[in-house]
DNA sequence: AACATGGTCAACCGCCTAAGC
DNA sequence: TGCTTAGGCGGTTGACCATGT
């Protein structure tokens, strides 16, 4: 039981607001501005608690609120953001100008959710083991509009457990609009991402990461791949100061033109093989109810494992953090739990610890290939001092 | 016409976090 | 450093309305 509700004071009105009350609140805020909700009712002559006043203002009286039917575009935005963010209505609302989180929540619960259930395309964030294909949205799902993916196809991943990098890369994919350079665009074209479609030039990080993951299985394209990985990660980092682009949904939708259904491996797939990897030092993550997770054992290449491990470690970097969830404490969010965040760094008791870890030799070579500064990696906690890593010279 | 049922949405509740002291 | 509290968030409730029987 938390604090007693502020509206329990005897004599305060509850329930629907009358036009007279609305007028009092409106005129008071127009005169004195928002804030100071605790004493506002008294000053405005309202027999309401401050919280009730704030809610009434925020959800109904504010002049910049758009009311009425949601457009198909708005609905698509909600569906796509909900697939990525879950029930974080306030975050979703920030991407729908002039709509309130309450209105979006109501619209989702009364219409969109039902519609998706009827279509068999509902991804249940509340009960992930019941109807959701996996514990997070894979990049493949992002690339192929999640609501367009057949249920039967999704059910093949039912026992998939995805952790740190999958979540983080999905967040990047969702929040970052990449405008590809000629280099990366040609990379995608060469490796099947574009298929001659000019729209590949405005792709998204989800498809890029899928392409990278796919191509990473082909050793001969190593050099090209490294350039691509560097570009994806640097673009994601650059985006940390940008607000989530309202064009996300268009970008994601456009990318569905790429033929990812057959050739791409999702970040989830990478994660699965990561869990099987001994050199990553990852203990088997447990689900939130403490039960041991089951894994799908896929034949993913060691290179993909390394890539995934690096993505996971890079996610620790501060600049990436701010990219992932620019406006919320993403480590405390329901979507990315703190234990998932430090999945590669659990202590013996399974509690979360933030410890720099030593990269495997494969990772170290790829870090070097990618041109990362060992000094920077050390100070950002991605590597720790070991026999191999000399903190005097900051080199391997 | 009366009642039952279901949908919608404004408002409330409990909890959390950050800021202020 | 710990406590208090305003503000914010997401889940839930219940009044109201439309439709069906």
């Amino acid at each position: 039981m938390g604090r007693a509700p502020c509206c329990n004071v005897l004599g305060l009105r509850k329930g629907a607001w009358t036009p007279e009350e609305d007028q009092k609140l409106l005129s008071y805020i127009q005169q004195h501005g928002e804030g100071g909700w605790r004493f506002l009712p008294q000053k405005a002559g309202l027999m309401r608690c401050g919280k009730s006043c704030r809610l009434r203002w925020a959800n109904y009286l504010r002049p910049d609120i758009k009311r009425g039917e949601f457009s198909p575009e708005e609905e698509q935005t909600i569906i796509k953001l909900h697939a990525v963010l879950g029930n974080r209505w306030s975050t979703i609302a920030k991407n729908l100008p002039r709509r309130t989180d309450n209105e979006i929540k109501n619209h989702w619960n009364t219409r969109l959710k039902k519609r998706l259930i009827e279509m068999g395309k509902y991804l249940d964030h509340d009960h992930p083991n019941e109807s959701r294909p996996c514990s997070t949205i894979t990049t493949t799902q992002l690339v192929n509009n999640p609501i367009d993916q057949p249920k039967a196809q999704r059910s093949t991943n039912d026992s998939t457990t995805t952790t740190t990098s999958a979540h983080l890369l999905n967040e990047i994919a969702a929040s970052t609009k990449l405008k590809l350079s000629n280099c990366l665009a040609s990379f995608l074209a060469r490796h099947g991402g574009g298929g001659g479609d000019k729209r590949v030039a405005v792709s998204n990080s989800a498809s890029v990461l899928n392409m990278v993951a796919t191509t990473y299985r082909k050793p001969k394209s190593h050099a090209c791949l490294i350039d691509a990985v560097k570009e994806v990660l640097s673009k994601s980092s650059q985006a940390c100061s940008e607000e989530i682009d309202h064009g996300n949904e268009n970008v994601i939708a456009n990318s569905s033109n790429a033929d990812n259904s057959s050739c791409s491996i999702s970040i989830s797939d990478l994660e699965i093989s990561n869990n099987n990897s001994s050199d990553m030092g990852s203990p088997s993550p447990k689900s939130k109810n403490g039960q041991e997770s089951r894994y799908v054992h896929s034949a993913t290449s060691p290179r993909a494992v390394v890539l995934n491990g690096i993505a996971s470690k890079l996610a620790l970097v501060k600049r990436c953090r701010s990219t992932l969830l620019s406006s919320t404490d993403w480590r405390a969010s329901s979507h990315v739990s703190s234990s998932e965040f430090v999945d590669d760094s659990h202590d013996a008791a399974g509690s979360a610890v933030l410890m720099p870890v030593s990269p495997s030799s494969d990772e170290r070579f790829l870090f070097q290939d990618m041109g990362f500064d060992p000094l920077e990696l050390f100070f950002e906690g991605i590597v720790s001092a070991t026999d191999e890593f000399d903190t005097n010279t900051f080199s391997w």
Side-chain angles (χ1 to χ4, degrees):
Chain A
M1 202 64 172
R3 284 189 301 141
C6 63
C7 301
N8 275 357
V9 181
L10 212 62
L12 290 190
R13 270 180 53 80
K14 287 168 75 171
W17 281 64
T18 64
E20 290 75 25
E21 287 177 313
D22 280 346
Q23 190 51 50
K24 280 182 181 175
L25 179 59
L26 198 56
S27 58
Y28 181 86
I29 291 177
Q30 280 170 350
Q31 272 190 309
H32 302 93
E34 289 181 58
W37 297 107
R38 184 178 175 80
F39 301 105
L40 183 147
Q42 202 180 346
K43 292 176 183 172
L46 287 161
M47 294 301 287
R48 295 272 182 175
C49 75
K51 203 168 182 174
S52 180
C53 294
R54 185 181 60 81
L55 218 61
R56 182 64 179 170
W57 169 257
N59 288 337
Y60 197 85
L61 294 177
R62 241 173 49 204
D64 58 337
I65 289 178
K66 179 179 172 185
R67 308 195 67 80
E69 284 296 299
F70 281 73
S71 70
E73 291 76 21
E74 286 176 317
E75 290 186 335
Q76 281 301 306
T77 302
I78 294 169
I79 290 168
K80 282 163 184 165
L81 288 174
H82 186 271
V84 176
L85 299 167
N87 297 351
R88 277 142 59 183
W89 304 115
S90 63
T91 308
I92 293 173
K94 284 169 189 159
N95 290 275
L96 282 141
R98 301 169 63 204
R99 294 288 190 182
T100 68
D101 54 353
N102 206 36
E103 198 178 12
I104 292 169
K105 178 172 63 180
N106 282 332
H107 191 65
W108 170 267
N109 285 328
T110 57
R111 301 187 191 176
L112 296 181
K113 187 173 165 182
K114 287 175 188 171
R115 208 184 297 166
L116 292 177
I117 288 172
E118 281 169 12
M119 295 162 73
K121 294 167 181 172
Y122 173 55
L123 302 174
D124 188 355
H125 283 262
D126 301 326
H127 304 93
N129 294 328
E130 290 172 16
S131 61
R132 285 193 77 205
C134 59
S135 61
T136 189
I137 309 300
T138 68
T139 52
T140 306
Q141 284 173 293
L142 282 172
V143 170
N144 304 322
N145 187 351
I147 68 165
D148 294 335
Q149 197 169 5
K151 203 178 187 178
Q153 184 187 336
R154 289 187 285 116
S155 67
T156 59
N157 288 332
D158 271 347
S159 59
T160 302
T161 295
T162 53
T163 52
T164 312
S165 57
H167 284 291
L168 299 172
L169 291 172
N170 280 333
E171 296 286 359
I172 291 173
S175 62
T176 305
K177 179 180 179 179
L178 291 177
K179 293 192 183 301
L180 304 182
S181 70
N182 291 336
C183 169
L184 191 47
S186 68
F187 164 81
L188 290 173
R190 270 200 305 282
H191 298 290
D197 189 335
K198 288 180 180 178
R199 272 183 278 192
V200 71
V202 186
S203 184
N204 65 49
S205 51
S207 60
V208 172
L209 289 166
N210 265 335
M211 290 308 305
V212 168
T214 307
T215 312
Y216 205 29
R217 305 171 82 168
K218 304 167 188 170
K220 61 185 176 183
S221 53
H222 187 232
C224 194
L225 161 73
I226 286 171
D227 286 339
V229 172
K230 284 168 70 173
E231 182 157 354
V232 169
L233 294 173
S234 70
K235 295 263 182 185
S236 298
S237 297
Q238 284 168 18
C240 68
S241 60
E242 295 175 5
E243 288 185 9
I244 293 175
D245 193 311
H246 296 317
N248 278 348
E249 63 273 19
N250 300 326
V251 175
I252 292 171
N254 285 345
S255 71
S256 64
N257 289 328
D259 180 15
N260 294 290
S261 58
S262 58
C263 71
S264 67
I265 58 175
S266 72
I267 296 302
S268 294
D269 295 330
L270 293 175
E271 193 67 35
I272 292 159
S273 59
N274 185 11
N275 290 323
N276 296 332
S277 165
S278 58
D279 66 355
M280 299 304 293
S282 303
S284 296
K286 293 175 187 285
S287 59
K288 282 175 181 172
N289 60 14
Q291 293 176 328
E292 198 73 28
S293 305
R294 291 175 294 147
Y295 298 111
V296 177
H297 295 269
S298 64
T300 312
S301 76
R303 287 170 177 275
V305 174
V306 174
L307 170 64
N308 197 45
I310 287 176
S312 186
K313 288 177 173 60
L314 286 171
L316 298 173
V317 180
K318 190 196 286 185
R319 64 171 181 266
C320 284
R321 279 181 210 166
S322 54
T323 304
L324 302 178
L325 286 176
S326 57
S327 60
T328 58
D329 182 356
W330 60 279
R331 286 181 59 186
S333 71
S334 58
H335 193 58
V336 184
S337 72
S338 57
S339 61
E340 287 165 337
F341 167 69
V342 293
D343 182 53
D344 289 332
S345 319
H346 283 72
D347 65 13
S351 60
V353 291
L354 276 171
M355 293 285 289
V357 289
S358 300
S360 68
S361 56
D362 276 348
E363 288 174 277
R364 191 217 311 169
F365 289 132
L366 194 51
F367 273 133
Q368 290 171 333
D369 279 345
M370 291 165 72
F372 281 98
D373 182 2
L375 176 67
E376 186 186 359
L377 293 173
F378 177 79
F379 277 115
E380 289 181 338
I382 295 172
V383 300
S384 61
T386 64
D387 290 340
E388 286 186 61
F389 185 75
D390 184 354
T391 53
N392 292 319
T393 61
F394 292 107
S395 63
W396 279 291

